[in-house]
Amino acid sequence: MDRLTETPRATLTVTADPDRSALVVGLAGELDIASLPDVAPQLDTLLAREAQPVHLDLAGLQFMDSSGVTVLIRIANHFDPVTAGNASPVVARVVQVLGLADRFGLDGA
């Protein structure tokens, strides 16, 4: 959380997508070690759900460090299948460099 504005630096939202028969997990902001406390409660609630298909909507994610990658991997290790979309070039590049693009379906990003 930004100490000056009390605004979370990162958010994690979960909605159902009946068209995909999947949960849509939206990640937004700057997902890094400083913002992990902002998303930790929602991540814990998400990971308490039964395994099911998940789609990661990364449209609002502006930055991600190794802590953010850990969040993605925790989600991918719990749910199956996991797909991702709408990644910015910066976020897509991080996923590609780490060799995770195929795992999240971002190889063409």
Side-chain angles (χ1 to χ4, degrees), residues 1 6 8 11 15 22 32 34 38 45 47 56-57 61 65 67-68 71 78 84 89 92-94 98 101 104 106:
M1 193 160 308
E6 303 279 328
T11 60
T15 56
D32 56 24
D38 295 338
T45 300
L47 295 175
L56 300 170
D57 183 354
L61 196 57
D65 72 359
S67 300
V71 169
H78 183 76
R93 184 71 181 140
V94 169
L98 293 173
F104 295 108
L106 287 176

Side-chain angles (χ1 to χ4, degrees), residues 17-103:
D17 183 349
D19 293 336
R20 288 180 186 251
S21 298
L23 291 177
V24 175
V25 176
L27 291 164
E30 298 180 2
L31 191 54
D32 56 24
I33 194 162
S35 66
L36 282 182
D38 295 338
V39 300
Q42 295 84 3
L43 180 62
D44 290 343
T45 300
L46 174 65
L47 295 175
R49 291 178 178 242
E50 300 258 340
Q52 58 191 293
V54 164
H55 178 73
L56 300 170
D57 183 354
L58 307 177
L61 196 57
Q62 301 158 350
F63 174 80
M64 177 175 66
D65 72 359
S66 60
S67 300
V69 172
T70 299
V71 169
L72 296 185
I73 291 172
R74 286 185 67 196
I75 293 169
N77 285 342
H78 183 76
F79 296 101
D80 188 45
V82 175
T83 59
N86 304 320
S88 71
V90 171
V91 171
R93 184 71 181 140
V94 169
V95 173
Q96 289 169 341
V97 166
L98 293 173
L100 298 170
D102 287 340
R103 176 67 176 99

